[in-house]
Amino acid sequence: MCGRYYNKRKKQKIAEKLQASKAFADPLPPNYNIAPSTFQPIVRQERDSSEREMVLARWGLVPFSARSLADFKGFSTFNAKAETLSSSPTWKAPLKSRRCLIPADGFYEWKTLDQSRKPKKQPYAISLTDGEPMAFAGLWDAWKEPKTSPQTVDTWLQSFSIITTEANELMSQVHTRMPVILRQRDWAEWLDRDGLRPPPLHLLRPYDSEAMQLSPCNSGVGNVKNNGPEMLVCPNPDEPLPLLNSL
């Protein structure tokens, strides 16, 4: 599962790193508490060229076939399990030719610390040890809002989902799942929109534990109203928490 992530870099730096030649015009301030239903940058291959473009899309995929947004009220599509992409009607069409990269500097996950009725949970911030940004494997789709009259202008909603896989050794100390993080050498293959080729499902595997790091962070990240670099800092970590940094 991946329900929160963060981006510290400016829009131009993200576009350069993910090799996107075009980007949306809106400003993109740093965001240390990105939550589902918000609009975030994704990078995809253009329809008629091999160039990449960076666009804003809503986190929480609404498939083209949806009758209305109400059909997805309470239906969680901000994550897609790698193991069921080929068999699920929601994911099959986007998997074929609407794949994308989701830029992130890191993500958050919560570890359950006890087995009480209301267990205490400690959030962790996970990033790459070399300080480089991550590129999550994602799917995107476009949904057209039904017209209320023949004169109504078409309104499209573009949305995306982050693909998850089983946790690697490091992440398994906190959670059973993790987002799929793609290596740069695999970006082109993942973004390829040639629908005649089978989807590159072999890329959807856990990232190397040795290349990742995690540390306890601010419990305030659980509230979407809290934002800022202080989300990455744990003010009063419990004694055993730092031990999770070593395997």
Side-chain angles (χ1 to χ4, degrees):
M1 179 174 152
C2 178
R4 289 285 203 283
Y5 66 99
Y6 60 94
N7 265 321
K8 302 187 294 184
R9 299 167 201 268
K10 294 182 179 180
K11 179 177 66 175
Q12 186 58 36
K13 291 295 184 181
I14 296 174
E16 289 175 0
K17 179 61 182 180
L18 272 65
Q19 301 166 11
S21 59
K22 297 179 181 178
F24 51 86
D26 306 68
L28 184 71
N31 193 333
Y32 291 85
N33 197 358
I34 297 172
S37 79
T38 60
F39 282 80
Q40 302 301 329
I42 65 171
V43 172
R44 63 191 182 188
Q45 184 175 310
E46 292 187 307
R47 181 187 297 274
D48 300 316
S49 76
S50 59
E51 296 295 310
R52 298 175 190 172
E53 60 179 356
M54 187 166 71
V55 301
L56 285 174
R58 197 189 77 166
W59 186 13
L61 189 140
V62 179
F64 174 80
S65 59
R67 294 182 180 180
S68 71
L69 287 178
D71 293 343
F72 285 82
K73 186 177 181 180
F75 181 58
S76 176
T77 55
F78 60 88
N79 285 166
K81 284 189 174 182
E83 299 88 340
T84 60
L85 295 181
S86 299
S87 58
S88 170
T90 301
W91 312 121
K92 285 178 69 173
L95 177 63
K96 186 176 181 180
S97 59
R98 291 190 288 277
R99 301 185 293 270
C100 64
L101 304 175
I102 298 104
D105 279 289
F107 63 97
Y108 302 103
E109 195 52 81
W110 280 256
K111 179 179 175 61
T112 301
L113 300 180
D114 60 67
Q115 301 301 317
S116 63
R117 187 175 180 180
K118 292 184 178 180
K120 182 180 178 181
K121 295 185 177 182
Q122 172 63 48
Y124 285 81
I126 300 96
S127 60
L128 299 182
T129 55
D130 61 7
E132 287 295 299
M134 299 174 175
F136 299 148
L139 302 175
W140 69 273
D141 213 339
W143 175 77
K144 185 168 69 172
E145 185 175 341
K147 288 188 175 184
T148 56
S149 71
Q151 291 75 35
T152 303
V153 177
D154 287 345
T155 301
W156 289 87
L157 172 67
Q158 298 190 88
S159 57
F160 70 95
S161 177
I162 295 173
I163 299 173
T164 66
T165 186
E166 62 183 11
N168 60 23
E169 187 179 1
L170 180 71
M171 278 301 302
S172 64
Q173 300 177 81
V174 179
H175 201 275
T176 59
R177 309 285 300 177
M178 65 180 291
V180 172
I181 304 169
L182 295 174
R183 294 187 177 278
Q184 185 168 346
R185 63 174 180 261
D186 297 324
W187 293 352
E189 183 178 5
W190 179 251
L191 294 177
D192 185 10
R193 297 190 66 167
D194 186 350
L196 298 178
R197 299 175 184 171
L201 295 176
H202 62 281
L203 299 179
L204 305 180
R205 56 183 181 268
Y207 204 75
D208 295 338
S209 288
E210 294 76 10
M212 299 177 66
Q213 60 189 357
L214 56 76
S215 59
C217 62
N218 197 320
S219 60
V221 74
N223 187 329
V224 296
K225 294 181 180 180
N226 297 324
N227 210 315
E230 66 273 14
M231 293 298 99
L232 300 177
V233 180
C234 185
N236 296 298
D238 291 339
E239 186 65 27
L241 296 182
L243 296 179
L244 293 181
N245 286 306
S246 59
L247 292 175

